[in-house]
Every structure is written in C-alpha cells, then in structure tokens.
Amino acid sequence: MAASISLSIDSDLDKVSLVARAVRSLCTDVLGADELDAVELSLVEAINNVIKHGYHGESGKDVQVSVALQPGQVVIEIIDHAPPMPAQVLEKDSEDPFAFDETDLANIPEGGMGLALIHMNMDEVEYHSGEAENRLRMVKRVSPSPT
Amino acid sequence: MLSTDQRGNILVVQVEEKRIDASKAPIFKDEMTRCIEGGQNQIVLDLSRVDFIDSSGLGALVSCLKRLGPRGSLAVAGATGAVSRLFTLTRMDRVFALHPNVEAAVEQLSA
C-alpha cells in the first residue's frame, strides 16, 4: 500500500488541531497508538514553529502538509514559504532542553522544546530550504511488534 | 476553559478543553494566573478530559508553577495517553507530581 495526500491550512494557530487530527486519522491504519501520539505531537510542534517563528504569528500565509503512507512507514512533509530557519537552530547536538535540574525552578524550560521533541519522536528529520520554499521531512517507521 | 472546585485550602481546577496547544496556552495561563493571584497556592490540575498537550501547553504549566513559587504546589491529576507520555518524555514528571485522579492528588496535598 502506498498513498499520499496534501492538506493545507492558513497560518493560524487555531487551525493546527484540524490538520493534526486529520493526519492522525490518516495514519491509524499504519501506526500504533504510541506512534500516532509521536506523529501528532511532532506535526503540531513543526507547524507551530512555522507559524510562530517563520511567519511571526501572521495569519493569511500558507502551510502545506503532505502525508505519504508507505509500507512500514509514514512520511510527512511540512512546506512553508517563510524565511528559512537559521542553521544554528537546526543543530541537533545543541543543548538538550530536558537536561534541566528539577530542583532549580527558575531554569525549568517554558519554551524552546519543539525541535527537540520532533527529533525524539521521529525516526528521520530533514530540513531543506530552497529558493521558493522550506520543507521539513519527517519519517515515522512502524516499530516491530513485540513477540 | 477552566472550572474550579474549592476543597478546604485546595483548589481543584478542571481543564474543560480537550487540547492545551499553542492556540489555547495563553488563555490557560491567564485563567490559572488569575487563580494564583487570587491567593490560591495549593492547586490540583485535573487533566482527565485533556487528550493532547504540546510544548506550548507544557510551557504554560511550567510558567504557572514558577508563579506559585517554592511555597505553592501544583499537582497534576488524571493525565493519560499522550498527555502522560509528554510528561515522561520531557522529564517534567520530575517537576510535577502526577496522580491517577483528583482524589489521590487532594489526599497527597492535604497530608
């Protein structure tokens, strides 16, 4: 089985849950419950980043999501036309936001967690910036069922 | 998006939305801040109706905890599925006391 679909929303935070719920439904035949949670969270974080940082919260811009259901995996691409993410933001090895000291209340993070969550939840994450668009490609593979 | 129930010195706050995401986090934070500034400092947050929280929602919870300060308590009750998973994944389960239900959380805070 291989099938793909494109969805698009206006760059409005109120619309993100619509596309998240749609993509979750699309993936139910391929993925298990934990994997669906992982995909939904990663998708929401990625779109929030595009709207908040790429488009600076401005509505009326385009956010496209393409979903490809392939044997054993789901490939999701988020396409936007905002200025590209700065390279240093993408450094996977940059600080782990969750390595905080829980006894130090002031330094528990309130933000900056989105990209780290995407990397933790997806099997592959790639970002491409072209002349016309940015494309974040994320792959979630079906984990072998426990025997 | 919140409803409250005072039990002695403990305020039980139920989140009535199914999602605390980037679009709802600011309202959540405002309503919680109003409770805290009204003098509540022992709070049980009932998440049993919530099925999704993103990092913005989680950040709003952390912000409330900071506002409560070291003498206040914010216990979380009824987190399941993706919500419970997010707390574990982000290690926020070390920051917030997680309880299976409101009764267990109230009992813990009263002890």
Side-chain angles (χ1 to χ4, degrees):
Chain A
M1 178 197 59
S4 67
I5 185 172
S6 283
L7 303 163
S8 87
I9 53 163
D10 183 52
S11 55
D12 178 343
L13 291 174
D14 282 333
K15 309 271 167 63
V16 179
S17 69
L18 288 176
V19 77
R21 280 153 51 208
V23 171
R24 188 185 177 100
S25 302
L26 287 167
C27 296
T28 47
D29 289 347
V30 182
L31 302 175
D34 282 358
E35 293 156 346
L36 290 170
D37 288 344
V39 165
E40 182 173 6
L41 182 62
S42 302
L43 180 68
V44 168
E45 297 294 344
I47 301 176
N48 286 347
N49 278 349
V50 168
I51 297 175
K52 284 188 183 174
H53 304 299
Y55 292 130
H56 299 289
E58 205 180 321
S59 60
K61 309 284 186 179
D62 184 44
V63 184
Q64 290 171 46
V65 177
S66 87
V67 181
L69 304 174
Q70 298 172 354
Q73 65 177 22
V74 171
V75 181
I76 295 172
E77 291 190 299
I78 292 125
I79 300 133
D80 68 76
H81 299 87
M85 264 194 278
Q88 67 268 25
V89 175
L90 293 160
E91 290 292 329
K92 199 183 167 180
D93 298 328
S94 61
E95 279 174 66
D96 173 4
F98 308 118
F100 55 81
D101 172 2
E102 68 271 22
T103 62
D104 181 9
L105 188 61
N107 285 315
I108 298 172
E110 291 177 55
M113 298 181 265
L115 266 177
L117 280 172
I118 294 170
H119 281 293
M120 289 162 84
N121 279 287
M122 300 303 280
D123 294 301
E124 287 175 40
V125 181
E126 282 171 43
Y127 185 71
H128 300 285
S129 278
E131 297 232 326
E133 62 182 32
N134 310 302
R135 198 174 272 265
L136 181 74
R137 181 178 184 272
M138 312 189 292
V139 178
K140 187 69 181 173
R141 282 190 282 274
V142 178
S143 55
S145 42
T147 46
Chain B
M1 71 186 285
L2 306 177
S3 64
T4 59
D5 177 18
Q6 188 79 46
R7 300 200 194 173
N9 64 337
I10 298 168
L11 187 73
V12 176
V13 177
Q14 172 145 50
V15 180
E16 293 181 325
E17 295 278 347
K18 287 173 83 81
R19 303 173 77 92
I20 312 176
D21 62 10
S23 72
K24 297 281 165 46
I27 308 161
F28 170 81
K29 196 164 136 183
D30 285 353
E31 292 190 20
M32 284 292 286
T33 301
R34 226 173 294 148
C35 296
I36 295 165
E37 288 182 346
Q40 303 288 347
N41 71 352
Q42 303 291 307
I43 298 176
V44 170
L45 188 66
D46 181 2
L47 296 180
S48 57
R49 289 189 195 170
V50 178
D51 57 27
F52 181 85
I53 298 184
D54 68 8
S55 68
S56 305
L58 192 63
L61 257 72
V62 172
S63 160
C64 294
L65 191 70
K66 290 181 182 176
R67 196 165 286 251
L68 273 169
R71 283 176 308 159
S73 294
L74 179 59
V76 171
T80 56
V83 175
S84 150
R85 192 173 161 275
L86 182 69
F87 279 100
T88 314
L89 205 59
T90 57
R91 297 157 139 189
M92 291 291 179
D93 57 346
R94 298 175 304 169
V95 175
F96 296 94
L98 301 180
H99 302 278
N101 53 53
V102 168
E103 281 58 44
V106 168
E107 199 172 311
Q108 178 73 40
L109 282 192
S110 314

